[in-house]
Amino acid sequence: MKELLNSKFTGSVSVPGDKSITHRAMMLGALTKGETKITAPLISDDTLRTLACMEALGATSRKTENDYIISSPGRDQLKSPEAQLYTGNSGTTTRLLTGLITGLGLNASMNGDSSIEKRPMDRVAAPLREMGADITLKDDKYPPIQIQSSPLHTIEYIMPVASAQVKSAILFAGLFLDGKTIIHEESPSRNHSELMLSQFGADIKTEGNSVILNGGRELVNSDIVVPGDISSAAFLMVLAAITPDSDITLNNVSLNDSRSGIIDVFEDMGVDFEITRHNNSGELYGDIRVKYTENLKPFNISGDLIPRLIDEIPVLTLLALSADGESRVDDAEELRFKETDRIRAVVDELNKIGVSFDEREDGYTVKPAEIPDISKISFKGYHDHRIIMMLIIMAISSNQEIHIDDPSAISISYPNFLDDLKSIRGDK
Ligand code: S3P
C-alpha cells in the first residue's frame, strides 16, 4: 500500500463488470438451451460461486479473451445436484438460486460461509412457500436451505422490504408457471432481472411499483454486455472527491436508475462531476468523471433513495466526514442484514478515529471529522468487501497506511481494486 501514499489520483479506470448483472447472466444463460455469450462479466469470488452452482445443475462454461460462454442443455435437462451447493459469501447466489431451483422443480441443498449462515432466508422462503414450495431452513430462518420439488402456482405478493434478491427469486420461480406472477414494491429495488428476462424473451412488464410476469414462455438466448459496476466505481468516485488535485474518470459504468442514487447524492453535496452517457437499448451506462471538491454540503439519505444506493452507504459515510455539517442516513435498516451489520461496522470502525455518530436502528447522523494519525489503530474488516474497501479509501485519502485484520474479502467483488488504484496514482 505504501506506493499509494502521497498521491493524487488522475486518469481513467474501467471498473469491473456489474456483479448483479453478471450473476443474472450466468443464471439465465444456464437456463436457456444453447450458448449465451457474456461480455466483460465480473469474475470474482461471488460470481464464480454462481457459475459453479449452475455447472452443478448441468450447464457448462468456457472463457474466451473477453467473454464467458455459458452452454445449457436446456432447462428440462438440468438436474438436481448430487452434492450440497456451496454459495460462499454470496447472498445474491443463495437467494436467487433458491427461487430458480424451486421454479425448475429440482431438489437441492445449499449452504454458504459463516456470514451466509447468519443471513435471513425466511424473506425468500415466505413468498416461495406461498407459491407451493417445500423449503426447510435452519431455525426456519437461516441456511442450510433444503428445497424439495413440489407443485407450484403463481402469486400476487406485496414485498415487506425493498429487496431485489427476493423479487428476483419470486420471478425466477414464476418463470415457467402459466399465469401471472405479480409483485408490488413500496420502494423500487434494482431491476436487472426484469430487464434481462425481457431481453431473454419473457413476457414481463413494470407498471408503477409493480412487476407483472406472464409465465410459461420459453426463454431465448441473448448475448449480454456487462457494464461496469457503479458500486465498485463508488470507491474511486469518493476517493477523487476527497483527495486534493484528483480527477478520475470511470469508463462505461452502469447508470441504471435503480442503482444510481450515489449520483443524486453527489449532486446534492455539490461534488464536481460530469457524466457522458452512451446509448444502450438495455442497461444504461456512461463515463463518470469526478474531481476533488472543497466545501461539500452534508447529505440526507432516506426513503426511496435507500435501495438505489444501499451498497454505497459505507463509502458515502467518508464523504460525509468532509462535509460542512451533519449528514443523515434514515430508513436503512436493511444495512444490518448485509454481509455484516454495516451500520455497526461503519460506526465501530470510524469511532476508532474519533468520528461522532448518533446511531439509530435504521441509520445514523454523522458529524464531519478530520482523519487523525491511524498508525497505531487496528481496524476490522468483518470479511465484508465493502467495509474493507471503505477503510482503504479512508487511509489513502489521508496519506496513511492501514492495518486491517483480514483484507482478503476484496476479491468478493473487486479483485483488482489495489491494482486499479495504483494505475491512477500520480505524484503530488
Ligand atoms: C443485489 C441486491 C441488493 C444488494 C446486493 C445485490 C442483487 O440486495 O445489496 O449487493 O444483485 O439483487 P437487496 O436484496 O437488499 O436488494
Side-chain angles (χ1 to χ4, degrees), residues 53-314:
C53 289
M54 300 322 294
E55 288 178 350
L57 300 184
T60 56
S61 72
R62 66 175 203 278
K63 187 181 172 325
T64 61
E65 203 182 356
N66 289 320
D67 309 324
Y68 263 70
I69 315 282
I70 313 285
S71 304
S72 169
R75 67 171 171 105
D76 295 336
Q77 303 299 315
L78 296 178
K79 54 184 192 320
S80 300
E82 280 155 29
Q84 184 175 67
L85 296 173
Y86 181 68
T87 60
N89 190 252
S90 177
T92 308
T93 311
T94 312
R95 296 202 175 109
L96 269 58
L97 265 189
T98 303
L100 194 126
I101 288 168
T102 298
L104 285 170
L106 302 178
N107 304 319
S109 156
M110 213 187 304
N111 203 3
D113 68 7
S114 57
S115 154
I116 281 292
E117 285 183 335
K118 292 190 213 94
R119 295 186 69 183
M121 296 298 153
D122 48 338
R123 54 176 59 196
V124 212
L128 295 177
R129 283 173 180 155
E130 255 184 57
M131 297 175 86
D134 179 349
I135 294 178
T136 311
L137 303 174
K138 183 175 157 233
D139 299 335
D140 211 23
K141 191 159 180 151
Y142 302 107
I145 304 173
Q146 312 286 344
I147 305 163
Q148 281 299 121
S149 170
S150 60
L152 300 179
H153 53 84
T154 58
I155 55 166
E156 181 163 356
Y157 191 69
I158 300 176
M159 297 273 294
V161 288
S163 166
Q165 294 176 347
V166 176
K167 176 176 65 177
S168 303
I170 301 169
L171 291 174
F172 287 180
L175 262 185
F176 305 114
L177 299 176
D178 287 331
K180 286 185 176 148
T181 296
I182 303 176
I183 304 170
H184 305 286
E185 296 187 282
E186 202 182 303
S187 293
S189 60
R190 64 192 67 189
N191 64 353
H192 304 299
S193 296
E194 294 90 309
L195 293 175
M196 202 178 294
L197 282 170
S198 174
Q199 201 180 328
F200 274 71
D203 180 358
I204 185 166
K205 62 181 178 194
T206 302
E207 282 177 6
N209 287 358
S210 303
V211 182
I212 302 152
L213 168 71
N214 206 347
R217 273 213 201 156
E218 271 320 309
L219 299 183
V220 186
N221 300 96
S222 180
D223 292 344
I224 302 289
V225 180
V226 183
D229 196 323
I230 195 163
S231 300
S232 298
F235 296 100
L236 306 185
M237 291 165 68
V238 169
L239 176 69
I242 62 178
T243 310
D245 302 322
S246 294
D247 179 353
I248 307 179
T249 300
L250 290 322
N251 298 321
N252 298 331
V253 179
S254 164
L255 296 172
N256 179 317
D257 191 58
S258 66
R259 294 284 299 284
S260 59
I262 184 172
I263 308 267
D264 299 28
V265 175
F266 270 39
E267 218 155 68
D268 291 347
M269 295 184 82
V271 176
D272 186 356
F273 76 99
E274 66 192 42
I275 291 182
T276 311
R277 290 192 161 74
H278 300 303
N279 283 328
N280 187 319
S281 48
E283 294 274 353
L284 292 177
Y285 69 97
D287 302 334
I288 306 174
R289 178 176 180 182
V290 182
K291 294 185 194 164
Y292 171 64
T293 314
E294 286 177 295
N295 304 323
L296 294 174
K297 295 199 261 307
F299 63 64
N300 251 308
I301 305 176
S302 64
D304 285 357
L305 190 53
I306 296 293
R308 297 181 53 231
L309 47 60
I310 186 78
D311 293 334
E312 288 67 82
I313 293 174

